[in-house]
Amino acid sequence: PDGEVLFVADALRSQIVDETTAPDLQAVRRDGVDFRNSHSLFPTVTTANASVIATGHRLGDTGNFGNTLYVGEGFADGALLAALENDATLGHMNARFEGNYLNEDSLLAAARAQGFQTAVLGKLGPAAIQDVTARDGTATLVFDDSTGRPGGFPLPADVIAAIKAAGLPDKPPSREENARQGDWKTPGTMIPNKAQQDWFVAVAREVLLPRFKATGKPFVIIFWSRDPDGTQHNQGDSLNQLVPGVNGPTSLAAIRNASDDLGALRKALADQGLAGATNVVVTADHGVSVTSKASQTSYAATLAYPDVAPGQLPPGFPAIDLAKALDLPLFDARGAALKPEAGQHPRGGALLGGDPKAPTIILAPNGGAEHIYLPGPDAKVLAQRIVAHLTTQDYVGALFVRDDLGPIPGALPLSKVGLTGAARTPTPAITISFRSFSTGCDRPEVCG
């Protein structure tokens, strides 16, 4: 083939796709090859699986253990935790970890080395991870939320001119209403991320495909569709309810949005006469579940917070529970002291111990999982105490412990889920997988 298009529908569940919900996605499944046993790696969050899609290596090798990682000393602004869905942060990660924090070559880098033209479009964070060392605009062309804005990757002058000549804005629209998260009193968004993704599709159709065709060289394009993920996270169809959850009309519109984008890209290939010589591969980085905030065992759920429904779990609840169980001071990720009894809770991670600059325990939240790092000399003893506490909590599913700290009753080794290898980044000491259950339908993947 002369071309390869990899289409990633972020947080798309395989079983939700049919002729009604996503006809263009279903067409690829129906007319192509359907890999029915494909699955994401754990933790099933975006940047983690983006690193797998980018390199073909498991997380134990890429070190991209989640969207939020403990990075140790020497990181930007003295931070101990890094949130990876950010172009600047990815640059800091490379600087911190020997020029390529993933420690592996990417598919796009290998393609470039063989003379392929390469480009990636879509969601901020996973887009740049696809060729994480290509950041100067002279190699892989990167179009994401930051394109044309301060901090965005540069583009060649002729590409910028072609965008303008096509009548397109020089930057993608912001998500605006689609980014509205709501809270426990106010519903979130009711619309998919259509305007922003239309821009990425238009750039591929009007700029990239004609440009690549004109050179006569083979190409690889990765299109990372933020929908349905972004909309599913923020959907306003299910305020304080588990049903319809991520199966309501807003989430279904986001799934259809991703499907329509795939259809538009395939039509653009056909219009350029490239369809017959281009492989189109469709995948997802992970699925999605509606989140239950109920617990009968959590200390954190017994406290009151101004931004949390009464009796429900707040953000950072594992840190609050561990601080109580181990009698340790609690700090947010920046080192500010927190008092849960006064309605305060962590966001974006937490530090436990007497000194937030040298914490005893570091917690990195990652959606359906939580990483716990133990940088001190007492890691084995602490790991045993932490596991003993976590096994009493009803929100815990499986527990995984770094191999050198075990065996510990109630936990499995990290190596069993591919979290050990050649990683340059610190390996978590403990990883919590939160309990999952079905809301009652006959398809647990759809109603988890």
Side-chain angles (χ1 to χ4, degrees), residues 102-120:
L102 296 178
N103 194 29
E104 301 292 346
D105 291 331
S106 68
L107 167 70
L108 290 187
R112 284 194 288 107
Q114 296 297 319
F116 281 68
Q117 304 166 97
T118 55
V120 56

Side-chain angles (χ1 to χ4, degrees), residues 180-189 234-236 238-240 306-309 347:
R180 183 167 63 86
Q181 297 179 357
D183 54 36
W184 69 278
K185 296 180 180 179
T186 308
T189 188
N234 294 344
Q235 58 84 19
S238 198
L239 184 63
N240 297 326
D307 57 343
V308 178
R347 288 186 180 277

